[in-house]
Amino acid sequence: FLLSVPLRAVAVLLLVGLTWLLVNTLFGGASGSSVRHFFSGKRNAETRPRRYKCGLSAPCPPKHLAFRLVSGAANVIGPKICLEDKMLMSSVKNNVGRGLNIALVNGVTGELLDTKPFDMWAGDISDLLKFIRPLHEGTLVFVASFDDAATKMNDESRRLFDDLGSTAVRELAFRDSWVFVGAKGIENKSPFEQRMKNSKNSNKYEGWPESLEMDGCIPLRPPLEG
């Protein structure tokens, strides 16, 4: 049977009303807010943990440098050195190698000065000595090991790192994992250092200890007088 004109009008009005209620429920009320967030992705953004420079869990104070060091994993995965959310050294940048991976940074401005890997298994220790002997006062030194960091170490190289604030370098041995941040002219020992000893009984990888990861905030030093 065909609906009369009045009944047809009522049906249209009911359809419009139901449509309005549905739209209002989805996009108008409190539940509508949830739907809008679902489609816009805003809720996911709000619940996702905030990421700070170099992946730190909290921001660094003003006039501090955010950093993260990751030593190499066995002889397979290369190390990483991140500073102020910029990757200074990594396998992706193709500027790391077996041994010690070192980045030099101006401790007053935070400017990158140089990066270089040193092969401590088959390399020449004199290359490392020439690199760290002439450092200027206040230079920050970031170090991440890969594979073997100690075979070529001699008394002078250990003393130079000791002068930069290291304590672990005295005992650093074959295939130990090591991450360290020191500075030329540091008055006390550096608080930024970790060493994992190569031990057959505790190694995570066959023949190598686990990779080390360290992050933190380093205060910029005031300009040197004179």
Side-chain angles (χ1 to χ4, degrees):
F1 295 89
L2 295 176
L3 293 174
S4 65
V5 174
L7 287 176
R8 192 180 306 151
V10 171
V12 170
L13 287 175
L14 286 173
L15 180 61
V16 171
L18 288 172
T19 302
W20 181 87
L21 286 174
L22 179 62
V23 171
N24 186 62
T25 301
L26 288 176
F27 299 103
S31 60
S33 177
S34 300
V35 174
R36 287 198 305 274
H37 283 155
F38 175 80
F39 284 110
S40 67
K42 289 182 179 179
R43 170 160 294 188
N44 288 339
E46 290 170 0
T47 57
R48 188 184 305 125
R50 186 171 178 181
R51 180 187 177 280
Y52 297 97
K53 292 179 180 178
C54 292
L56 270 65
S57 59
C60 289
K63 297 184 179 180
H64 283 65
L65 300 175
F67 78 91
R68 181 182 297 275
L69 298 179
V70 183
S71 66
N75 62 346
V76 180
I77 302 175
K80 298 177 183 178
I81 299 179
C82 175
L83 182 70
E84 285 294 284
D85 234 15
K86 296 179 180 178
M87 197 61 68
L88 305 185
M89 302 187 76
S90 70
S91 296
V92 174
K93 291 181 68 70
N94 197 31
N95 64 347
V96 297
R98 176 177 63 183
L100 296 179
N101 295 270
I102 303 178
L104 304 180
V105 173
N106 186 312
V108 177
T109 66
E111 175 191 5
L112 177 64
L113 302 175
D114 203 356
T115 62
K116 196 169 184 180
F118 296 91
D119 190 339
M120 301 301 288
W121 171 256
D124 188 343
I125 190 62
S126 64
D127 293 336
L128 174 63
L129 297 176
K130 291 174 184 176
F131 191 70
I132 58 178
R133 274 176 187 153
L135 296 183
H136 295 293
E137 189 83 3
T139 301
L140 296 172
V141 182
F142 296 80
V143 183
S145 67
F146 183 26
D147 189 0
D148 174 37
T151 295
K152 289 289 184 176
M153 278 279 189
N154 59 15
D155 290 341
E156 183 180 1
S157 59
R158 292 180 191 274
R159 179 183 59 78
L160 288 170
F161 281 113
D162 184 89
D163 291 343
L164 295 172
S166 172
T167 53
V169 72
R170 301 170 188 170
E171 307 299 328
L172 194 66
F174 175 66
R175 286 187 177 175
D176 287 356
S177 291
W178 184 41
V179 287
F180 166 66
V181 183
K184 180 70 172 181
I186 190 171
E187 295 181 1
N188 301 306
K189 292 304 178 182
S190 171
F192 301 116
E193 182 172 33
Q194 293 181 21
R195 171 193 171 221
M196 180 67 68
K197 184 175 176 56
N198 171 25
S199 171
K200 185 183 299 185
N201 297 326
S202 61
N203 281 349
K204 181 175 182 179
Y205 311 105
E206 184 179 353
W208 291 270
E210 67 179 302
S211 174
L212 293 174
E213 186 169 343
M214 178 176 69
D215 59 35
C217 304
I218 301 173
L220 288 170
R221 59 182 298 164
L224 300 174
E225 295 182 2

